[in-house]
Amino acid sequence: MYVGTLSFDLLLGDVHSLKEKRSVVRPIVAELQRKFSVSAAEVGDQDLHRRARIGVALVSGDAGFVSDVLDRCERLVAARPEVELLSVRRRLHGDED
């Protein structure tokens, strides 16, 4: 069994309130869940209106599959024009961990 996680640190563009922030972050989380069947949520910086932290997790029996899906998730978030991807933290845990 392999568990892969990603943590995205995002800088949001023209956002001036927490309500506007939700209108940017929610569609990203929903698209990650829909396209890649991963667990995704806003996991940090909830009180800051121009920053967001999104977490993604995936479980599979194939390490290559986990790595491929996480790569595609990272590309999707990096390609979003309304956010700037500041950093990505990736972890892959296997049975030996």
Side-chain angles (χ1 to χ4, degrees):
M1 175 177 73
Y2 297 93
V3 179
T5 61
L6 288 174
S7 177
F8 298 107
D9 185 10
L10 305 174
L11 178 64
L12 308 180
D14 191 26
V15 172
H16 302 290
S17 70
L18 294 176
K19 187 175 183 178
E20 288 179 10
K21 175 184 179 177
R22 279 194 310 272
S23 72
V24 172
V25 173
R26 278 186 172 170
I28 295 171
V29 169
E31 187 174 8
L32 287 165
Q33 292 169 334
R34 186 182 70 253
K35 280 191 171 183
F36 305 115
S37 297
V38 296
S39 294
E42 184 179 1
V43 295
D45 297 330
Q46 283 96 343
D47 57 340
L48 302 174
H49 68 274
R50 293 214 52 227
R51 294 290 294 270
R53 188 169 299 273
I54 296 176
V56 173
L58 172 68
V59 177
S60 177
D62 180 5
F65 176 76
V66 171
S67 182
D68 180 54
V69 171
L70 295 181
D71 287 343
R72 291 187 287 154
C73 289
E74 187 174 342
R75 284 193 299 272
L76 182 139
V77 173
R80 296 297 290 243
E82 68 273 21
V83 299
E84 180 181 342
L85 183 57
L86 298 177
S87 68
V88 179
R89 184 173 181 180
R90 177 188 293 238
R91 290 194 171 180
L92 181 63
H93 305 279
D95 285 336
E96 302 82 33
D97 296 343

